[in-house]
Amino acid sequence: MAGRTLGERAAARAARLRRRWDREAGAYDRGMAAAERRMFPDVRPRVCGLASGDTLEVAIGTGLNLAHYPSAVLDGRLTGVEWSPGMLAVARRRAAELGVDVDLRLGDAQRLDLPDDAYDTVVCTFSLCAVPDRRAALAEMVRVLRPGGLLVLADHVSSTAWPVRVLQAAAEVVSVPLAGEHFRRRPLRWVLEAGLAVEQHERTRAGVIEWLAARTPGPRAR
């Protein structure tokens, strides 16, 4: 690593993390299913059910949300962006098995290759915890939303119970350098700082699981 610029080190780390997600793509669903049953069994259908109109899912992963969107969204109005080619391949297989019409493409949440004001709804679930520059990712989500558009986020966050926060901090000592995984972020704070109006919000499981729906300024999207 000696002699590399900051940008080169960041690029090397990103490449390493992408390879890791590619390797784990085949087993990801099994691991997530266990956590989901225990911690957030109803979150995906609730948050995805809020989507309407032209919808973007950022960091779509293996496509676990595809079964939960309204049929009108799945009728050619959903775009999914994913950073890991391995995860995206699983999402494409899932879309084919479900028979849904979705535009799945490779992309970076921190630099979306999408136009401004293009979507009525943007969804991101259990992914911002692993995005290196989460503020850049949020800014990109807001950028591509139309005025009055809806941003829907769900993630594991810093607990409301201090003993759990201590455990989360200890876990990050390993998880952040190894997998880029953060356990103590709070997307709600960034949403409020960005000037969005929170319409729905819920926090459960000792405050560890949090989801929200917030609207961008401007006329309500139709």
Side-chain angles (χ1 to χ4, degrees), residues 3 22 33 40 46 51-53 64-65 81 86 94 96 108 112 123 130 134 141 146 149 157 161 181 192 196 210 220:
D22 286 345
F40 50 97
R46 293 178 71 182
S52 64
L64 287 172
N65 287 335
V81 173
R94 174 170 274 117
D108 186 344
L112 294 172
V123 177
R134 73 276 193 190
M141 293 180 210
R146 292 171 181 144
V157 301
E181 181 86 1
L192 294 173
L196 277 67
E210 184 170 48
R220 189 181 186 89

Side-chain angles (χ1 to χ4, degrees), residues 14-64:
R16 178 178 61 78
L17 291 176
R18 184 183 284 110
R19 289 193 298 270
R20 180 182 183 277
W21 286 113
D22 286 345
R23 288 194 303 271
E24 294 190 0
Y28 179 82
D29 289 0
R30 291 192 296 274
M32 179 58 79
E36 195 160 337
R37 285 193 300 269
R38 186 168 60 252
M39 297 294 291
F40 50 97
D42 61 343
V43 171
R44 291 188 194 276
R46 293 178 71 182
V47 301
C48 294
L50 298 174
S52 64
D54 295 322
T55 299
L56 170 68
E57 182 172 343
V58 175
I60 197 168
T62 60
L64 287 172

Side-chain angles (χ1 to χ4, degrees), residues 88-173:
L88 191 62
V90 177
R92 286 181 171 139
R93 290 197 296 271
R94 174 170 274 117
E97 291 167 359
L98 292 172
V100 298
D101 183 7
V102 53
D103 177 7
L104 293 171
R105 57 179 73 179
L106 199 63
D108 186 344
Q110 302 162 119
R111 291 174 293 277
L112 294 172
D113 186 18
L114 297 165
D116 297 352
D117 305 335
Y119 296 96
D120 301 300
T121 308
V122 172
V123 177
C124 183
T125 64
F126 305 102
S127 299
L128 274 174
C129 52
V131 175
D133 191 342
R134 73 276 193 190
R135 292 182 184 273
L138 177 62
E140 283 289 271
M141 293 180 210
V142 173
R143 178 183 67 78
V144 302
L145 272 170
R146 292 171 181 144
L150 192 67
L151 176 65
V152 185
L153 303 177
D155 222 320
H156 55 79
V157 301
S158 180
S159 175
T160 52
W162 73 262
V164 179
R165 289 198 300 275
V166 171
L167 293 175
Q168 289 175 317
E172 284 186 341
V173 173

